[in-house]
Amino acid sequence: MRIGLAQSNLDYADKYLTELSHPASPNYGKHWTSEQVIDAFKPSHETIETVRDWLADSGIRGVVQSDNKAWLAFHATVKQAELLLHTEYHEYEDRHTGGVMPACEQYHVPKHIKKHIDYITPGIKLLAPGDEGPNTANTSLAKRHSPSSKAHSAAQTKKLNQVGSAEHFYGPSPKTKPMQASAAQNLSTCDVAITPACIAALYHIPPGHLAHPNNSMGIFEAELQFWDQADLNSFFTNFTTNIHNGTHPIDRLIDGGVAETNYTFEAGGEAMLDLELAYPIVHPQTIVVWNVDDLNYQLWANDTYTWGFNTLLDAVDGSYCNYTAFGETGNAPGIDPTYPDLNAPLGYNGTLQCGVYKLTNVISLSYGGQEADVPIAYQKRQCNEYLKLGLQGISFLFASGDAGVGNYPSPYGDDGATGCLGPQGDIFNPTWPNTCPYITNVGATKVYPGKTVYEPESAVYDPAGHPYSTNFSSGGGFSNVYPIPEYQKSAVATFFADHNPTYPSYSALAANAPNPVHPNVTLLSGATGGIYNRIGRGVPDVAANGDNIATYSNGAFSLSGGTSSSAPIFAAIINRINEERLAVGKSTLGFLNPTLYAHPEILNDITNGTNPGCGTLGFSAVKGWDPVTGLGTPNYPKMLKLFMSLP
């Protein structure tokens, strides 16, 4: 049995992170070690001793404390456990997996113990996936691309048939042809195809020249997204002048992950897009691909990422594997993958990897889901981990989503005919984990037809059928779970004061709740009469180009789009700035948002476009921050100058 102990200083966690990441702070850039993080939040001496004494008085012996200080463990017979917790245990079978676990309907602890305990396991049973509430069955974390009809490899087709989702990628455009490297430097066609030269011109990015051995850029991949050397070589040959064929990323394979393929037809559109956007910006720096979970779970009908990124976080922070927060400890049975995976031909037979890798200073993640489809305890526990890794100097950049203020409508999404919330299907449906306040969200912009890289971009918007099968617009809106963070309050207040949306609104946040309570259960009663929340954390924070991206994938030239494009562009720029800071003995940037919001002048403000969804035009891109393109797109020289001026 394990008892999750109440941690200390969690109320100060946000303050600690701000002290390290706000440009006006004397502690800017003084990042913590993982040991300092554990020590700062470990349970108090009073908590540990009080719970130990209670167990001893109850006849429990052999109690040990975990390395991360977060829980106590001991062996107990069923009779001992029932006497200790004044309950009755039974075995429960998961209807989906057939797994059996002991649990109880309720348990009781003495009043003076309650404040010291967060969670006890085995304890109250969890519901199986699909039973948590409305709109949750078969939910999957989608790649941040707009839905398309592009053909898939045999393995990908098998995967798609199982989960009923689309590979959000579209194929060759009749307007474009493969370009030679010399032609690819032509900036006159950037409204048709965005090449590395177009990106460099848009954001004034000079060629890279530094390569610190401890500053690889990280890119997260999953869901059968394999990179292929032949496609990379074709891209380098046709679109770059300084990257040699054979250049490739370093694979970090977590719990049986597979990152690379020897068969070009199996190359993943997402994997190739991420790498082909990042390499021209960061080269000669190296890139690390973080690929997670064995092929069995990547083909799982429940989907590897029904809920989150726990496999990655386990592998880079061993304390997270058994970290207790919001009534949840460790991975959720029936929701997260379980290792060793002995019952499948493609299963990983090792134990769950905990703390075996050091995460890169910057990581780009082009995957996500919807906030309303993730149990509150699960997502808040994970959000706390982004905070803790931010304290250690890690920058997380997430694509903000491609369905504007909602989700894709079925059959492309999992939230019904409109992709939106509420009984009428008209309440805006924010993305997740984007609403977590400790990550940086990247929305999408576009060079519209007839425009040039020397003119301001606009918020991306492609109506259904042009060329995607459904609308593509930059994901943005306001959280229903997290309040507006301190660093964002002024920007959001200015948006409402100067550009107040005409839609009816509500002001409500879903209360903390243990799994498996669905956020909608506690929220929507407070949303009566409104379709968006005025007191929630705003998304996105920044933006970058996300449409008509020139790529090579599956052996062919094609154009791609999505905030999946925007995230690796912005992340690569941050990695370049880290390189410059490390070269003069400074720290990495870590959590970016306090500095970005304090100095919006280092970004190109986007003031044109909207992000339609839920039967509306969504929000508008306006002067200053907005829930379409955030603070704007990168201006590399201005960003570099500011960040180099900081301690």
Side-chain angles (χ1 to χ4, degrees), residues 400-414:
S400 71
D402 301 333
V405 295
N407 190 8
Y408 300 124
S410 57
Y412 302 106
D414 302 296

Side-chain angles (χ1 to χ4, degrees), residues 362 395 397 570-578 589 592 639 643:
V362 175
S395 303
L397 292 101
F570 207 100
I573 289 172
I574 296 302
N575 215 64
R576 280 282 299 273
I577 295 173
N578 275 344
L589 297 181
L592 303 170
M639 293 175 68
F643 282 116

Side-chain angles (χ1 to χ4, degrees), residues 228-251:
D228 172 65
Q229 188 66 60
D231 282 333
L232 283 178
N233 290 345
S234 295
F235 182 83
F236 296 151
T237 297
N238 285 284
F239 292 107
T240 72
T241 58
N242 63 335
I243 305 180
H244 298 297
N245 286 356
T247 301
H248 61 81
I250 301 164
D251 295 333

Side-chain angles (χ1 to χ4, degrees), residues 216 267 278 528:
S216 292
T528 303

